[in-house]
């Protein structure tokens, strides 16, 4: 994810809650923060007061640290009430990693989008022995990685299952426009795309509250990546379209994101995100006047040193920009078996 905070957003809270504590961000809406073992070192979760129980939005990554933290919250933050509904916004491990743990413990209704459920369930069934190492090898070779780095990523396999419990079943499908009544508030589901296939955002129009999950984040640009399963995909088209659609929300909307802090100035942030991608697209197009590989694009698009995990994100993001330019008809994608893919301006 790229840092690009040029627009001054308004943050009602100067600091996040401590991991074992919470902050009430609106009446009956409790903001929790859980740690992550990545450069992006935290995720926000939201507990919505639902009268006799709580509706929880997202869960934290599967780890003993998360489980221990949940045990502490069960005894304090829940005010003695059960979690009766669990909403998984999308299939990424930091969002639904503890879903199995929480559903076994509280037996809540589990709500998510069907496409997200299927994506997560499918990735869970994969092990490095079942083939994905091959896909990832082809993918990174296509991106132009050298043989040494390829050897390192070849053993990567699919590490999704390690960070996620079993996808809970049964689940309740949440689709665009569905309405959830939680504690007297009416939340309408808005399905975002680009970061994941069908990410659930929740909008309470009466109070202009918007749980954006990873669709709109402050400070960092949501990761928009092409992966090994669908290397010709164009998730950036989907993301930019979602940004446009979200501009229909009230400009005074209070945004509750899953990373960073709650903020105001949604429209300015959406404009900034779209501008950020426009700039990246222009740089990519300029660089591809001569045929170029994804790996050759990285130092042009990312000015900072990338660690191994960031390099993997960066490859996916660079490919998302290049593929979008292919969709727009600005670039050709030249793919020959066993060779790095070349992108060239038309
Ligand atoms: Zn995500």
């Amino acid at each position: 994810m790229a840092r690009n905070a040029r627009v001054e957003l308004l943050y009602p809270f100067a600091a996040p809650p401590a991991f074992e504590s919470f902050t009430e961000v609106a009446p009956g809406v409790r903001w929790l923060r859980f740690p992550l073992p990545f450069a992006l070192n935290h995720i926000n979760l939201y507990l919505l007061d639902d009268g006799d129980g709580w509706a929880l939005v997202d869960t934290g990554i599967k780890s003993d640290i998360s489980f221990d933290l949940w045990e502490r919250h069960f005894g304090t933050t829940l005010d003695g009430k059960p979690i009766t509904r669990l909403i998984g916004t999308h299939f990424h491990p930091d969002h639904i990693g503890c879903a199995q743990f929480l559903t076994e413990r509280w037996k809540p209704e589990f709500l998510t989008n069907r496409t997200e459920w299927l994506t997560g369930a499918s990735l869970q069934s994969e092990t490095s022995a079942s083939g994905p190492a091959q896909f990832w090898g082809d993918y990174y070779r296509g991106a132009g990685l050298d043989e040494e780095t390829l050897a390192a990523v070849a053993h990567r396999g699919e590490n999704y299952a390690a960070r996620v419990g079993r996808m809970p079943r049964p689940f309740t499908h949440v689709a665009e426009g569905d309405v959830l009544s939680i504690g007297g508030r009416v939340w309408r589901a808005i399905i975002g795309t680009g970061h994941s296939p069908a990410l659930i955002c929740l909008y309470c129009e009466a109070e202009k509250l918007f749980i954006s999950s990873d669709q709109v984040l402050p400070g960092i640009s949501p990761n928009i990546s092409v992966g090994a399963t669908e290397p010709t995909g164009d998730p950036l088209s989907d993301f930019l379209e979602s940004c446009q659609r979200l501009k229909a929300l009230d400009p005074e909307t209070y945004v509750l994101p899953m990373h960073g802090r709650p903020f105001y100035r949604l429209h300015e942030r959406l404009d900034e995100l779209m501008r950020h991608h426009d700039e990246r697209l222009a740089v990519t197009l300029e660089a591809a006047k001569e045929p170029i590989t994804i790996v050759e694009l990285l130092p042009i698009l990312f000015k900072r040193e990338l660690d191994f995990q960031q390099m993997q994100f960066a490859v996916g993001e660079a490919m998302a920009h290049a593929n979008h330019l292919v969709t727009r008809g600005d670039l050709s994608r030249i793919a020959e078996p066993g060779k790095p893919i070349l992108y060239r301006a038309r």
Side-chain angles (χ1 to χ4, degrees):
M1 304 203 191
R3 282 167 203 286
N4 57 327
R6 279 163 294 175
V7 167
E8 290 282 322
L9 303 178
L10 301 176
Y11 297 98
F13 296 94
F19 291 138
E20 63 276 5
S21 180
F22 68 86
T23 298
E24 186 149 284
V25 289
V29 179
R30 294 183 176 185
W31 168 25
L32 277 62
R33 175 162 282 205
F34 270 52
L36 295 178
F38 308 123
L40 181 62
N41 62 7
H42 70 273
I43 178 169
N44 302 323
L45 315 172
Y46 297 96
L47 268 174
L48 312 177
D49 192 339
D50 197 13
D52 296 337
W54 296 97
L56 170 65
V57 189
D58 285 342
T59 75
I61 202 163
K62 177 183 154 192
S63 71
D64 288 340
I65 293 171
S66 296
F67 294 164
D68 288 348
L69 195 50
W70 269 124
E71 291 295 345
R72 296 183 67 157
H73 281 295
F74 294 161
T76 54
T77 306
L78 301 187
D79 296 348
K81 299 193 295 185
I83 296 172
T84 46
R85 277 191 275 186
L86 175 60
I87 301 156
T89 62
H90 64 297
F91 77 92
H92 292 165
D94 44 338
H95 297 262
I96 54 105
C98 292
Q100 180 189 0
F101 170 80
L102 290 164
T103 49
E104 285 176 357
R105 176 65 170 256
W106 295 103
K107 311 277 187 284
E109 179 186 17
F110 179 61
L111 302 100
T112 192
N113 179 275
R114 188 177 296 128
T115 305
E116 297 290 340
W117 192 93
L118 288 168
T119 306
S122 138
L123 286 173
Q124 274 173 337
S125 69
E126 294 190 336
T127 61
S128 33
S130 69
Q134 172 67 40
F135 301 131
W136 285 104
D138 292 348
Y139 166 84
Y140 283 116
R141 187 167 291 109
L145 247 60
D146 60 59
E147 287 303 320
E148 192 186 336
T149 319
L150 270 174
V153 290
H155 300 290
R156 174 187 187 279
E158 188 48 72
N159 52 18
Y160 179 81
R163 295 171 176 155
V164 184
R166 265 196 325 280
M167 199 62 85
R169 56 171 93 177
F171 74 96
T172 303
H173 174 51
V174 177
E176 175 73 31
D178 282 358
V179 166
L180 304 178
S181 293
I182 301 171
R185 278 195 185 94
V186 172
W187 297 88
R188 176 165 56 89
I190 299 175
I191 302 298
T193 53
H195 174 71
S196 74
L199 178 152
I200 299 170
C201 304
L202 295 172
Y203 185 52
C204 171
E205 191 153 21
E207 294 177 52
K208 302 172 194 170
L209 286 172
F210 182 50
I211 298 176
S212 65
S213 186
D214 286 357
Q215 191 67 36
V216 188
L217 298 171
I220 54 172
S221 171
N223 180 254
I224 309 299
S225 263
V226 168
T229 305
E230 198 190 338
T232 56
D234 176 16
L236 188 53
S237 280
D238 299 331
F239 181 73
L240 294 173
E241 201 179 290
S242 285
C243 286
Q244 281 296 354
R245 279 198 332 130
L246 290 176
K247 290 194 75 176
L249 303 191
D250 194 292
E252 303 292 318
T253 293
Y254 186 18
V255 185
L256 308 179
M258 281 4 189
H259 305 286
R261 283 175 287 148
F263 69 95
Y264 287 96
R265 302 195 76 188
L266 171 65
H267 285 217
E268 288 84 347
R269 184 58 184 148
L270 289 167
D271 286 339
E272 184 175 54
L273 288 170
M274 289 188 279
R275 221 166 37 239
H276 161 75
H277 287 296
D278 277 345
E279 287 164 13
R280 286 269 167 107
L281 289 166
V283 169
T284 303
L285 189 55
E286 177 68 26
K289 280 185 173 164
E290 297 295 325
I292 193 167
T293 67
I294 293 298
V295 162
E296 287 163 350
L297 263 174
L298 296 186
I300 302 170
L301 286 175
F302 302 92
K303 297 296 181 197
R304 68 212 147 84
E305 196 71 29
L306 303 170
D307 69 21
F308 189 67
Q309 198 214 12
Q310 288 167 330
M311 182 277 291
Q312 297 179 60
F313 276 123
V315 165
E317 291 210 9
M319 209 177 282
H321 287 86
N323 285 2
H324 184 62
L325 289 166
V326 173
T327 300
R328 287 196 343 197
D330 293 332
L331 287 189
S332 303
R333 181 180 187 275
I334 306 154
E336 287 180 45
K339 286 195 185 164
I341 296 159
L342 290 173
Y343 291 90
R344 186 176 59 203
R346 290 198 187 202

